[in-house]
Amino acid sequence: MNSLAKSWISISADSDFSIQNIPFGIIKHLKTQHISVSTRIGDTIVDLSVLADLGAFSSIKGFDKSTLTNLYLNDFIALGKTVTSAVRLEIIELFKESNKDINQKYTASFLQLKDVENLLPVKVGDYTDFYSSIDHATNIGTMIRDPKNALMPNWKYIPVGYHGRGSSICVSGHTFHRPKGQQKPADSEFPTFGPSKLLDFELETAYIVGKSTTLGESISTEKADDYIFGMVLFNDWSARDIQTWEYIPLGPFLSKNFASTISAWVVTLDALEPFRTKGYTQEPKVFPYLEYRGNKNIDIKLEVAIMPENSSETVICNSNYKYMYWTMEQQLAHHTINGCNVNIGDMMGSGTISGPEPHEYGSMMELSWKGTKPLKLNDGSERKFINDHDTVILRGYCQNENIRVGFGECKAKVLPAN
Amino acid sequence: MNSLAKSWISISADSDFSIQNIPFGIIKHLKTQHISVSTRIGDTIVDLSVLADLGAFSSIKGFDKSTLTNLYLNDFIALGKTVTSAVRLEIIELFKESNKDINQKYTASFLQLKDVENLLPVKVGDYTDFYSSIDHATNIGTMIRDPKNALMPNWKYIPVGYHGRGSSICVSGHTFHRPKGQQKPADSEFPTFGPSKLLDFELETAYIVGKSTTLGESISTEKADDYIFGMVLFNDWSARDIQTWEYIPLGPFLSKNFASTISAWVVTLDALEPFRTKGYTQEPKVFPYLEYRGNKNIDIKLEVAIMPENSSETVICNSNYKYMYWTMEQQLAHHTINGCNVNIGDMMGSGTISGPEPHEYGSMMELSWKGTKPLKLNDGSERKFINDHDTVILRGYCQNENIRVGFGECKAKVLPAN
């Protein structure tokens, strides 16, 4: 791919959806209710099922047009990376500037943003969340345990992870009610019941598994990228007060599974490859099954904004995916070292991504330091945690001197407890 | 239903599959590879798709024959309890003794055990495991923490649960390899890596969700039974050494997700109703959303046997589902009190079911008291945990003076680490 290629579709310089991106998602045409696999270029939605009807992709071996009108990307992903990567490259080719004159017929696949709704891109099977940012784990350990032993003894040996709930994963743009549950106030001997008072976001990314394994099989760090289709932004909403009371000894449960939000467009690992960067130096040395070669972190600039009802937004966090201690490849090798099988459509969350500086912390828990340092928003209000009617927006993109590849928004609005 | 009804199909007195049971499962005809929803009566498999072809169920409003040739029960369950309960009652009617002469044509649906293979009955969406046996939680707390404070402070307020991995749930009869992973021996400063040395079973039951909810909806204890289709036996295989090293602070992960085993036949809640019994007296009083009325425990006799390679089995545990502190109805009310949605095919495990007496403990961890009291098997060998080539078999049934309703076997064999 020529990284300097321009498109004959209009794309603003700051768009996440450059011709080098070509993410995949599921859109519904609002007028016809037609559902299709699509991509986005600038502010233009391109319906891949129409492209295929017009003759595109027909020379790609193993391509199957019927996967483009499904409710989820899973069957498209199941065609394999050889096919899906070729589809992406053909789209880039179709819409690059030099091919404008010969490809005018493909404008029939174009839709405007206002005419479509993004649906959940993937039918998530099993969902796992990791805990792989060292700054986040250190901050939490410092706050709730001991600053001198902030990291648990296992943290630098194991990419710690746990199973989450797939059913409550929603696509960007949804609303949800503040969860109710049991909490035990620090000054009370007994628990109470009611709406969570400490609702928090968690700035994460997640990757979508693109190739299945069978029970008993393990994936090496070297082969792991073959099993990673692409990435999304992920807000792992958390109710801190419910979490504190419930999580010992078996981990977070109702404090997490009331709702999670992912961005609508799955950005392929292919599109992210130009932004690979060096990983964390891991000391102590990891076990052989966790060793990896090359640059496996990715320089993804991340931000979080809070938008109160009828007000403008305030950016409260700027972080970066490059701060991850454990890479996706290590997470997948660890997840399968015991023979656990993975399936296409499984989702693996990064865990909250915090950087070393206070403005890079990826949750209110850290940003307000457990509520002791309220944040000031542009409208003059303060936040220790997230209020009813607040919309929380995650954004993320990669940028070098030539190209920008991004995720768009991952946003959701909190409604009062019902 | 006449609880004394006999069948014109031959059924031995000690069969789990009486005419009052009529569980649902998925079988594959070994000769034709045909797959169908089936039931089992005595040692006879009854193919429901053939019954339907012969005219059965045609008067049941909402019945849909096409659900009977699916790979999973999910679409059949989705017809709703009104339909599936009517199907069960019609099967009982077809095969009761007094209808022998008029229903001979239905023998065309009969298959012998040797001619079929049981497949996984349900496509499991999300899987949750609870921790609801007070004797089990007390034993574990006593062993790994403090006998005087064996239960965590939250245990009597919350039906503690956590999310498990759905992908590695297998149907009875499978094998799996001993998992590898990190462990930290008590006498070592550093972790090691290798096959688990402390492989354990966990005697559990699980229920299958039979009705979906939408995000934001909660299920009351009163309505919970409408959402429970039926139950299976469940072996939540656990690698104790991997678990000890990994589980703080986010719970069990690789120590559980290498394999789990369920029994092949889903026994309906309808069939279990005659065996309801009084629940645990819950002190302190639970929160209103967890209160329930009536007898909601179930008297299910449970046993576990170990069968070494080329040897006979030894029963090492006799327990009972009636010992549960938290009921299924409370678990489901708790799971959804925060608005978490559930889907048809979700599976909810009970947690290890131990009774108060040592021979009623539901895991090797408890039976051998952390390996300090080896068990003697019939072949003269000893077990602290589970060896390679051992087959572990769970069994469960309800029995009163008139009828027996059971689950058959839930078994799996451990192969050496690969």
Side-chain angles (χ1 to χ4, degrees):
Chain A
M1 175 175 64
N2 176 356
S3 64
L4 296 171
K6 300 278 178 229
S7 174
W8 54 271
I9 299 174
S10 160
I11 306 171
S12 68
D14 62 350
S15 174
D16 285 348
F17 304 101
S18 65
I19 186 74
Q20 287 80 15
N21 189 346
I22 312 298
F24 296 104
I26 300 288
I27 61 108
K28 183 165 80 174
H29 300 217
L30 292 176
K31 205 185 289 178
T32 63
Q33 305 291 302
H34 172 71
I35 284 166
S36 67
V37 173
S38 296
T39 191
R40 179 173 169 176
I41 300 173
D43 287 344
T44 300
I45 302 294
V46 182
D47 181 329
L48 303 201
S49 73
V50 177
L51 283 188
D53 284 341
L54 293 167
F57 319 130
S58 56
S59 64
I60 298 171
K61 202 180 156 185
F63 173 73
D64 176 356
K65 207 170 87 167
S66 74
T67 61
L68 298 181
T69 46
N70 286 355
L71 191 51
Y72 297 103
L73 287 176
N74 299 48
D75 289 339
F76 175 68
I77 295 172
L79 297 176
K81 269 205 190 186
T82 317
V83 173
T84 57
S85 295
V87 166
R88 175 172 166 273
L89 291 177
E90 185 166 332
I91 295 170
I92 293 172
E93 195 63 23
L94 290 177
F95 299 112
K96 76 178 187 191
E97 205 156 35
S98 54
N99 288 331
K100 178 171 182 174
D101 293 341
I102 59 170
N103 286 329
Q104 281 301 312
K105 66 172 174 178
Y106 293 113
T107 57
S109 68
F110 292 2
L111 293 157
Q112 290 183 280
L113 292 180
K114 69 173 177 53
D115 295 330
V116 304
E117 178 188 347
N118 273 98
L119 304 184
L120 193 67
V122 176
K123 172 82 178 164
V124 176
D126 282 295
Y127 145 51
T128 294
D129 200 26
F130 287 92
Y131 186 55
S132 291
S133 152
I134 192 166
D135 293 301
H136 172 67
T138 303
N139 285 338
I140 297 296
T142 299
M143 272 186 271
I144 69 174
R145 281 187 306 270
D146 172 8
K148 286 178 187 155
N149 293 293
L151 292 179
M152 297 302 299
N154 58 12
W155 201 90
K156 288 189 169 181
Y157 290 95
I158 291 179
V160 170
Y162 67 106
H163 300 118
R165 178 109 191 148
S167 70
S168 48
I169 297 171
C170 303
V171 72
S172 179
H174 72 104
T175 61
F176 66 92
H177 292 279
R178 177 178 295 269
K180 292 176 291 193
Q182 293 187 32
Q183 308 131 33
K184 198 175 85 61
D187 57 359
S188 165
E189 193 185 342
F190 301 107
T192 60
F193 177 83
S196 168
K197 294 178 188 72
L198 308 180
L199 182 64
D200 203 351
F201 68 86
E202 289 192 339
L203 168 61
E204 303 196 16
T205 61
Y207 60 93
I208 306 296
V209 171
K211 189 176 169 184
S212 301
T213 62
T214 56
L215 197 70
E217 203 178 331
S218 301
I219 300 171
S220 67
T221 57
E222 200 180 347
K223 297 272 186 205
D225 287 346
D226 297 345
Y227 294 81
I228 299 172
F229 177 71
M231 293 178 74
V232 291
L233 300 175
F234 177 45
N235 185 346
D236 182 24
W237 293 96
S238 301
R240 299 298 179 196
D241 38 8
I242 296 174
Q243 187 172 351
T244 304
W245 174 233
E246 77 172 357
Y247 90 107
I248 293 174
L250 298 177
F253 182 51
L254 296 193
S255 54
K256 300 276 191 176
N257 64 18
F258 55 90
S260 317
T261 313
I262 62 172
S263 52
W265 298 102
V266 183
V267 177
T268 66
L269 208 54
D270 292 346
L272 296 166
E273 285 298 341
F275 306 96
R276 291 280 196 179
T277 185
K278 196 176 168 312
Y280 229 96
T281 303
Q282 298 180 324
E283 280 292 334
K285 200 166 172 301
V286 297
F287 282 100
Y289 78 93
L290 292 170
E291 288 173 3
Y292 69 96
R293 280 182 297 186
N295 289 334
K296 288 297 177 189
N297 277 23
I298 308 180
D299 181 357
I300 307 175
K301 295 166 216 323
L302 300 166
E303 70 171 40
V304 183
I306 296 178
M307 186 170 69
E309 182 96 316
N310 300 320
S311 182
S312 63
E313 65 174 61
T314 305
V315 173
I316 54 162
C317 161
N318 289 278
S319 186
N320 196 307
Y321 184 73
K322 72 182 177 190
Y323 293 133
M324 295 287 284
Y325 187 89
W326 296 102
T327 68
M328 293 188 280
E329 292 75 12
Q330 291 180 309
Q331 291 168 344
L332 200 48
H334 182 66
H335 203 315
T336 58
I337 189 62
N338 67 345
C340 178
N341 56 329
V342 298
N343 289 313
I344 289 168
D346 288 350
M347 193 178 104
M348 311 281 179
S350 59
T352 307
I353 304 165
S354 294
E357 299 299 323
H359 72 277
E360 296 172 316
Y361 295 171
S363 66
M364 290 304 286
M365 180 80 171
E366 295 163 88
L367 289 163
S368 77
W369 207 253
K370 226 178 160 180
T372 60
K373 299 177 182 173
L375 302 188
K376 197 98 171 179
L377 302 189
N378 292 341
D379 68 357
S381 64
E382 287 190 342
R383 291 291 181 285
K384 295 175 179 172
F385 288 89
I386 302 299
N387 286 3
D388 287 347
H389 308 292
D390 283 353
T391 297
V392 174
I393 308 164
L394 317 187
R395 295 190 184 91
Y397 65 95
C398 306
Q399 173 102 54
N400 63 25
E401 56 279 12
N402 297 316
I403 58 175
R404 175 167 165 139
V405 167
F407 293 83
E409 289 183 341
C410 172
K411 74 175 177 183
K413 182 178 174 176
V414 181
L415 304 177
N418 62 5
Chain B
M1 176 175 61
N2 177 356
S3 64
L4 297 172
K6 302 276 179 233
S7 175
W8 56 272
I9 299 174
S10 158
I11 306 171
S12 69
D14 62 349
S15 173
D16 285 349
F17 303 102
S18 66
I19 186 73
Q20 286 81 16
N21 189 346
I22 313 298
F24 296 105
I26 300 288
I27 61 109
K28 184 166 79 174
H29 301 217
L30 292 176
K31 205 183 292 178
T32 63
Q33 304 290 302
H34 173 69
I35 284 166
S36 67
V37 173
S38 295
T39 191
R40 178 173 169 176
I41 300 173
D43 286 344
T44 300
I45 302 295
V46 182
D47 180 330
L48 302 201
S49 74
V50 177
L51 283 188
D53 284 341
L54 293 168
F57 320 131
S58 57
S59 64
I60 298 171
K61 201 180 156 186
F63 173 72
D64 177 355
K65 206 169 86 167
S66 75
T67 61
L68 299 182
T69 46
N70 286 355
L71 193 50
Y72 297 104
L73 287 175
N74 298 49
D75 289 340
F76 174 67
I77 295 172
L79 297 176
K81 269 206 192 187
T82 318
V83 174
T84 56
S85 296
V87 166
R88 176 173 165 273
L89 292 176
E90 185 166 332
I91 295 170
I92 294 173
E93 194 64 21
L94 290 178
F95 298 114
K96 76 177 185 192
E97 207 156 32
S98 54
N99 288 332
K100 178 172 184 174
D101 292 341
I102 59 171
N103 286 330
Q104 281 301 315
K105 67 171 174 179
Y106 293 112
T107 57
S109 68
F110 292 2
L111 292 156
Q112 291 183 279
L113 293 179
K114 67 175 178 54
D115 294 330
V116 305
E117 178 187 347
N118 274 98
L119 304 184
L120 193 68
V122 175
K123 171 81 178 166
V124 176
D126 282 294
Y127 145 52
T128 293
D129 201 26
F130 287 92
Y131 186 54
S132 291
S133 152
I134 192 167
D135 293 301
H136 172 66
T138 303
N139 286 339
I140 297 296
T142 299
M143 271 185 271
I144 71 174
R145 282 187 306 270
D146 173 6
K148 287 179 186 153
N149 293 293
L151 292 179
M152 299 301 301
N154 59 12
W155 201 90
K156 288 189 169 182
Y157 290 96
I158 291 178
V160 170
Y162 67 106
H163 300 117
R165 178 105 191 153
S167 71
S168 49
I169 297 172
C170 303
V171 71
S172 180
H174 72 105
T175 61
F176 67 92
H177 293 278
R178 177 178 295 270
K180 292 175 290 190
Q182 294 187 34
Q183 309 131 33
K184 198 176 85 61
D187 57 358
S188 165
E189 193 185 343
F190 301 108
T192 59
F193 176 81
S196 168
K197 292 178 189 69
L198 308 179
L199 182 63
D200 202 351
F201 68 85
E202 288 192 339
L203 168 61
E204 302 196 15
T205 61
Y207 60 94
I208 306 296
V209 171
K211 191 176 168 183
S212 301
T213 63
T214 55
L215 198 70
E217 204 179 329
S218 301
I219 299 172
S220 66
T221 56
E222 201 179 347
K223 297 271 186 207
D225 287 346
D226 297 344
Y227 293 81
I228 300 172
F229 177 71
M231 295 177 74
V232 291
L233 300 176
F234 177 45
N235 185 347
D236 183 25
W237 293 96
S238 299
R240 300 298 179 195
D241 38 7
I242 296 174
Q243 188 172 349
T244 304
W245 174 233
E246 77 172 357
Y247 90 106
I248 294 174
L250 298 177
F253 183 51
L254 296 195
S255 54
K256 301 275 191 177
N257 63 18
F258 55 89
S260 316
T261 313
I262 63 172
S263 52
W265 297 103
V266 183
V267 177
T268 65
L269 208 54
D270 293 345
L272 296 166
E273 285 298 343
F275 306 96
R276 290 281 197 182
T277 185
K278 193 173 171 311
Y280 229 96
T281 303
Q282 297 180 324
E283 280 291 335
K285 199 165 171 304
V286 299
F287 281 101
Y289 78 93
L290 292 171
E291 289 173 2
Y292 70 96
R293 281 183 294 187
N295 289 336
K296 288 297 177 191
N297 277 24
I298 308 180
D299 182 356
I300 307 175
K301 295 165 215 328
L302 300 166
E303 69 170 41
V304 183
I306 297 178
M307 186 170 69
E309 183 96 315
N310 300 319
S311 181
S312 63
E313 65 174 61
T314 305
V315 173
I316 54 162
C317 160
N318 288 277
S319 186
N320 197 306
Y321 185 73
K322 72 182 178 190
Y323 293 133
M324 295 286 286
Y325 187 90
W326 296 102
T327 68
M328 292 188 281
E329 293 76 11
Q330 290 180 309
Q331 290 169 345
L332 200 48
H334 182 66
H335 203 317
T336 58
I337 190 62
N338 67 344
C340 177
N341 56 330
V342 297
N343 289 313
I344 290 168
D346 287 351
M347 193 179 104
M348 309 283 180
S350 59
T352 307
I353 304 165
S354 295
E357 300 299 324
H359 72 276
E360 296 172 316
Y361 294 171
S363 65
M364 291 303 286
M365 181 80 170
E366 295 163 270
L367 288 163
S368 77
W369 206 254
K370 224 177 163 181
T372 60
K373 299 177 183 175
L375 302 188
K376 196 99 168 181
L377 303 190
N378 292 340
D379 67 358
S381 64
E382 287 190 340
R383 290 293 181 284
K384 295 175 180 174
F385 288 89
I386 302 299
N387 288 2
D388 286 349
H389 308 293
D390 282 352
T391 297
V392 174
I393 308 164
L394 317 186
R395 296 190 183 92
Y397 65 96
C398 306
Q399 173 103 53
N400 62 24
E401 56 280 14
N402 297 316
I403 58 176
R404 175 166 165 141
V405 167
F407 294 82
E409 290 183 341
C410 172
K411 73 176 178 183
K413 182 177 174 178
V414 181
L415 304 178
N418 62 4

